[in-house]
Amino acid sequence: MLPLLLTHSSGTQYGTITDNDGRFTISNMRVGGPYTVELSYIGYATSKTENIYLKLGEPFRQNYQMAEESVTLEGVTISAKAGTLGKRGFNDFIRLTPQSTTT
């Protein structure tokens, strides 16, 4: 499933993902424009279309074909300080469970 992001010139953003047939559907968008459509997915070149205008009562249809692109992913670094969670007591965790009580 591919993500789709539509941005209106006012800054309003609409996001969705494809259905099983590869189609995007977004209801109740503002009529007019201009809209910018951007498709992106890891391993594919980003596809961007600008100056799209929507008409009242008319569905907008646009076909896209994404080209494969080599991507180098960067490493992820996770760091933590010892004792940052240790300041909480057992009762703090019990309170998060609605089925338990403390006395």
Side-chain angles (χ1 to χ4, degrees):
M1 297 189 165
L2 296 173
L4 172 77
L5 178 65
L6 283 97
T7 305
H8 188 266
S9 59
S10 68
T12 303
Q13 293 186 335
Y14 302 87
T16 188
I17 58 173
T18 58
D19 62 14
N20 291 335
D21 295 327
R23 293 188 174 105
F24 299 100
T25 303
I26 301 177
S27 301
N28 302 319
M29 293 180 61
R30 288 185 187 178
V31 175
Y35 282 95
T36 300
V37 176
E38 186 172 325
L39 289 146
S40 63
Y41 196 71
I42 295 174
Y44 292 89
T46 299
S47 177
K48 189 173 185 178
T49 307
E50 298 180 324
N51 295 320
I52 293 176
Y53 290 84
L54 302 179
K55 296 179 182 176
L56 183 62
E58 291 185 22
F60 175 79
R61 298 185 198 287
Q62 180 74 38
N63 292 323
Y64 292 94
Q65 189 167 4
M66 298 183 73
E68 288 187 33
E69 178 180 68
S70 175
V71 177
T72 303
L73 300 177
E74 302 206 12
V76 176
T77 303
I78 300 173
S79 61
K81 293 181 181 179
T84 56
L85 190 59
K87 295 179 183 176
R88 302 192 94 174
F90 181 70
N91 287 335
D92 293 327
F93 292 105
I94 295 279
R95 282 189 215 117
L96 297 175
T97 307
Q99 296 85 0
S100 64
T101 60
T102 59
T103 54

